[in-house]
Amino acid sequence: MSKSKSNFIDKLLGSQTQVEFSDEEENLLNLIHERGGRCNIKDLSHLMDQSAAGIVDLAQQVCDKGVRIWKEDGVLYLSGTTIECLPEHVVIKENKIRIGILADTMLGSKYQQLTGLYSAFQIAEHEGVDVMFHVGVSAGKPTPSKQEEFFLSTAAKQIDYIVANYPKSDKFKTKFVSGFHDMQWKKDNLNILAEVCSRRDDLAYRGDIQSDVSIRRGQAKDKKWPMLKVVYHGGDTSPYSKSYPVQGLVENLIQDVDDLVGEKTPDVVVVAGQGVYLDLSGGKVRNLYAVPGMRLISPSILRRKNRAVAPSIGFVIVTVTFEKDGTFAVKAKCYPLKGIKNDYREKFSKNQEFLRGLNSDERKVLKLLEESPKSSGELEQAINKSPETIDSIIFELQSKGFIISEMNASKNFKLNSVFKKKFNVPPINFDDYFFETVREGDISDTHIGSNSELVPIQEEAFEIFSKRGITVVNHGGDVSNGSPKHDEHFKGEVREFRASPLIFDIIRLLPSRKGIQICMIAGDHDRWFLDTVGLDLIAHVAQARPDINYLGIQDGERRSKRIITLLKHFNWGTGYARSYKPQQVIEDSILKEIEKEPARFRGKVVVILSGGGHVYCSMLYKGVIFILLPCLQSRTGFINGLGKISDVGFLIHSITYSKDGTLTRFGTEYFDRTAKALAFLRKRKNLHRNVKKSRARGYKPRTVKAKRSVKKSKK
């Protein structure tokens, strides 16, 4: 290599200055660098007049001299370059594939949850996962303000730790995608995840920030196969409303209308980086999910001036099922996990290797110091021993290798912790863990009495509920369109607004099926009669329909074993960020109730079903399930005036809890019928237009003839 090495090669070498490259090796590096740090092997073969195998061998020689070059999908990447892998084609033989998604484990941080990660792998194997994607793995590069949050602060230590401790499955392969924190090492020309994957056969590297997967069943090329996009979008500075960045990401995926009409958008998008579980399906992307993280909230996030959100802990499994006619259906389920404080630390009091040779008093003191620093007086009271005995116990523990120091300011004894080098997570008893599953149907805002009512879709919903074995259907209010509070009857939007006929219409039109109970509340439209003339419309309906359990006006509660279901109907609409109002309701109302009445909620799963918004969004936030229910009403003049379109459809939600009442699995199946509702609306408008035309053609000639006959008779 020439004496005047390129500056970029010096940077790649770092502290290694005494390295000589051949002319071919230097030429290879220059060619890749000139093309933005990545170059196709075929192009390099042509430019350097060598075989593809020769180019790969040459790249390996460069790697052996200290400059990392990564090979992915026939492309060579220089270390520190953002790697964008080509879409991966996954061919499945059966009619179903289950894909696990993990995110934000922050391995190397004091707030990591590696025990939870091992539990996630056990659950994934039990649930039959075929492949696992992990987006955002390492803790990243510490800044001066975050140094204390790390127990491993160098790339080399994080790599060794992940290689040694990352769980391994014999049933599926795990694919890494670099997230926000992993990318911080790129400033030092380090690709930390690619290095980890090169040392573990069960791990594969799938690029930076995003990865696309085409799921194929068979080899036919003329079919529309589902495309899955796994993407990292977020970081430590994500906004309070967790759906806002996810919705914004989808907007950015669509360049113009051709992307929608030409089916260029992915069928499934899973977003990491927001730290909560969200299901925002039914929009521009048919199946849109956000996945929770796998870490506790850190002090640097708590110090932020704007509102911070503690990340939920868990992971997601997306299931794609192919039907016989070639179509496919997508379902997602969230598996929440419990956080463990100081999970990275070695628990001396629970490790028999450390306890061997300690007497009972020494074990007690060790356990107390593990919890927090203690003064001599606190230790004396805790184990009922004299100061001299406490000093003797501390001395014995120190002599046996435990590092215990006395803090000068507080005079407390502090046990210096060491991080775990082995994670032995006990197997999960799945009979107790997935103890019972409850599945219920959900509808809302049927607006019976309006010209935009969708009785055929209501019937379809109950038919599906019946076939699926659903025994309880929740109705989120606005069963009727109510009285004409806003003069809708003058605008041609109301079919029936009189109280008695409307009651009979609801009794007749609201579907019923044998074995299904409808639990409902009244919405703001239903209560308009109550506000004006004192008539509770839905109470009269419930008296005539024994299958209806009426829970109240805009608010109702139902308890079933380990589940508390709260039905709400709020008067507010929804802004752009769909999760904003649900987050506020959980924090400003539900969590306060739980704080004031803990016994009422202990060992219970809390579910909020909210009508009135006419949009769909389900989320798991701070341990509470919140579902914004779609409507069963087509477009109205009011919605048109807002420049919006409602989400039309119905749901089946599924909740699984453990023997002690802990939520262990949650998912919703959203039956999007927005397109069907728009088709009904067009058909209704065309029918109305044709009736007007036929009336115009039919009545006008007869009127003219009648006038002429009168004139003739007078003559």
Side-chain angles (χ1 to χ4, degrees), residues 103-382:
D104 278 326
T105 45
M106 294 285 289
L107 299 181
S109 162
K110 293 178 181 178
Y111 303 92
Q112 69 175 34
Q113 295 292 292
L114 197 51
T115 298
L117 186 60
Y118 273 83
S119 298
F121 267 63
Q122 285 191 50
I123 295 168
E125 289 183 344
H126 178 269
E127 296 288 87
V129 164
D130 299 292
V131 62
M132 180 76 79
F133 279 85
H134 191 157
V135 191
V137 181
S138 74
K141 187 177 181 180
T143 60
S145 62
K146 297 180 182 179
Q147 187 71 43
E148 290 300 316
E149 297 178 6
F150 289 70
F151 70 93
L152 297 172
S153 56
T154 67
K157 289 180 179 179
Q158 289 183 16
I159 290 170
D160 291 341
Y161 182 80
I162 296 169
V163 170
N165 291 288
Y166 194 87
K168 183 176 183 179
S169 173
D170 296 327
K171 297 183 178 180
F172 56 80
K173 196 164 187 174
T174 303
K175 308 198 175 188
F176 282 177
V177 179
S178 296
F180 170 76
H181 298 96
D182 307 305
M183 295 294 288
Q184 292 171 344
W185 291 112
K186 291 293 183 83
K187 297 176 183 177
D188 297 339
N189 294 304
L190 294 171
N191 192 324
I192 187 170
L193 298 190
E195 181 64 35
V196 169
C197 293
S198 69
R199 293 162 58 178
R200 285 272 299 260
D201 293 337
D202 60 314
L203 305 176
Y205 183 60
R206 281 296 302 158
D208 300 332
I209 302 301
Q210 65 179 15
S211 179
D212 293 335
V213 182
S214 174
I215 303 167
R216 297 176 177 269
R217 187 186 180 201
Q219 299 296 332
K221 297 181 180 180
D222 57 340
K223 292 185 178 180
K224 172 69 171 72
W225 301 113
M227 177 66 76
L228 165 71
K229 178 183 283 291
V230 181
V231 58
Y232 193 98
H233 187 65
D236 292 339
T237 57
S238 58
Y240 170 75
S241 178
K242 306 313 291 181
S243 70
Y244 185 85
V246 180
Q247 293 172 239
L249 171 70
V250 172
E251 302 293 342
N252 293 335
L253 288 176
I254 300 165
Q255 187 73 26
D256 54 38
V257 70
D258 290 339
D259 292 340
L260 292 172
V261 178
E263 297 183 337
K264 294 181 181 179
T265 55
D267 301 282
V268 187
V269 175
V270 183
V271 183
Q274 297 307 312
V276 297
Y277 173 69
L278 285 167
D279 183 348
L280 295 162
S281 300
K284 299 178 184 70
V285 173
R286 286 169 52 195
N287 305 281
L288 175 62
Y289 311 102
V291 297
M294 195 75 75
R295 58 162 172 166
L296 297 178
I297 191 167
S298 62
S300 59
I301 296 177
L302 288 172
R303 286 195 299 265
R304 286 172 53 194
K305 292 181 180 179
N306 54 335
R307 296 177 74 177
V309 174
S312 301
I313 300 172
F315 73 108
V316 170
I317 296 176
V318 175
T319 303
V320 181
T321 305
F322 290 90
E323 306 297 341
K324 291 181 180 179
D325 60 358
T327 60
F328 57 88
V330 181
K331 296 180 187 177
K333 289 186 178 178
C334 177
Y335 296 78
L337 297 165
K338 288 185 176 180
I340 302 173
K341 190 177 180 180
N342 296 322
D343 186 47
Y344 76 100
R345 284 185 187 174
E346 185 65 72
K347 301 294 190 297
F348 299 117
S349 59
K350 295 183 179 180
N351 192 324
Q352 291 301 318
E353 292 182 14
F354 292 100
L355 295 179
R356 197 176 294 116
L358 300 183
N359 61 37
S360 60
D361 288 338
E362 290 169 348
R363 293 185 181 193
K364 290 177 183 178
V365 170
L366 187 66
K367 186 175 181 180
L368 289 166
L369 293 179
E370 265 186 345
E371 295 171 357
S372 63
K374 298 285 191 303
S375 66
S376 179
E378 289 173 321
L379 294 174
E380 292 166 24
Q381 292 181 2

Side-chain angles (χ1 to χ4, degrees), residues 458-672:
Q458 294 179 43
E459 288 289 346
E460 180 196 5
F462 274 77
E463 194 62 29
I464 290 175
F465 294 153
S466 181
K467 288 180 179 178
R468 297 287 187 90
I470 300 297
T471 58
V472 174
V473 173
N474 301 290
H475 195 306
D478 278 357
V479 184
S480 73
N481 201 61
S483 61
K485 186 176 181 180
H486 300 299
D487 297 329
E488 299 98 328
H489 57 310
F490 292 133
K491 304 170 187 175
E493 293 187 13
V494 177
R495 178 183 58 77
E496 181 57 73
F497 58 87
R498 297 167 298 170
S500 294
L502 198 51
I503 290 171
F504 287 117
D505 272 359
I506 298 170
I507 294 169
R508 178 174 56 89
L509 296 176
L510 187 68
S512 64
R513 293 293 187 277
K514 185 179 180 181
I516 293 181
Q517 183 187 50
I518 304 173
C519 299
M520 69 167 55
I521 58 173
D524 58 310
H525 279 251
D526 302 313
R527 73 175 295 168
W528 286 348
F529 281 108
L530 185 65
D531 294 340
T532 54
V533 296
L535 175 68
D536 190 341
L537 199 75
I538 307 304
H540 284 74
V541 172
Q543 287 177 359
R545 285 276 299 264
D547 60 323
I548 292 177
N549 178 15
Y550 181 40
L551 300 176
I553 301 169
Q554 293 191 258
D555 189 15
E557 179 178 325
R558 184 169 56 83
R559 288 171 171 260
S560 174
K561 295 182 180 179
R562 292 284 192 172
I563 300 175
I564 298 176
T565 303
L566 304 175
L567 271 71
K568 306 282 186 180
H569 190 99
F570 296 105
N571 293 337
W572 41 258
T574 53
Y576 176 77
R578 296 193 175 189
S579 71
Y580 182 76
K581 289 291 179 63
Q583 288 176 232
Q584 281 191 319
V585 170
I586 291 172
E587 292 181 342
D588 298 341
S589 175
I590 304 303
L591 293 183
K592 287 183 179 179
E593 282 190 50
I594 295 173
E595 179 190 6
K596 299 300 181 184
E597 299 180 277
R600 177 183 162 211
F601 294 94
R602 189 175 292 115
K604 305 288 185 183
V605 179
V606 180
V607 186
I608 304 170
L609 304 174
S610 172
H614 289 225
V615 295
Y616 169 64
C617 170
S618 71
M619 67 185 304
L620 179 60
Y621 183 70
K622 296 185 182 292
V624 177
I625 296 170
F626 198 113
I627 303 176
L628 283 174
L629 299 175
C631 68
L632 284 173
Q633 180 187 29
S634 63
R635 184 184 287 179
T636 65
F638 176 73
I639 296 295
N640 263 342
L642 296 176
K644 295 182 178 181
I645 183 170
S646 300
D647 289 342
V648 179
F650 49 93
L651 310 172
I652 294 176
H653 75 259
S654 171
I655 295 170
T656 303
Y657 52 82
S658 64
K659 204 167 187 177
D660 63 358
T662 302
L663 177 66
T664 55
R665 182 171 55 200
F666 161 65
T668 53
E669 186 177 0
Y670 175 37
F671 298 85
D672 181 15

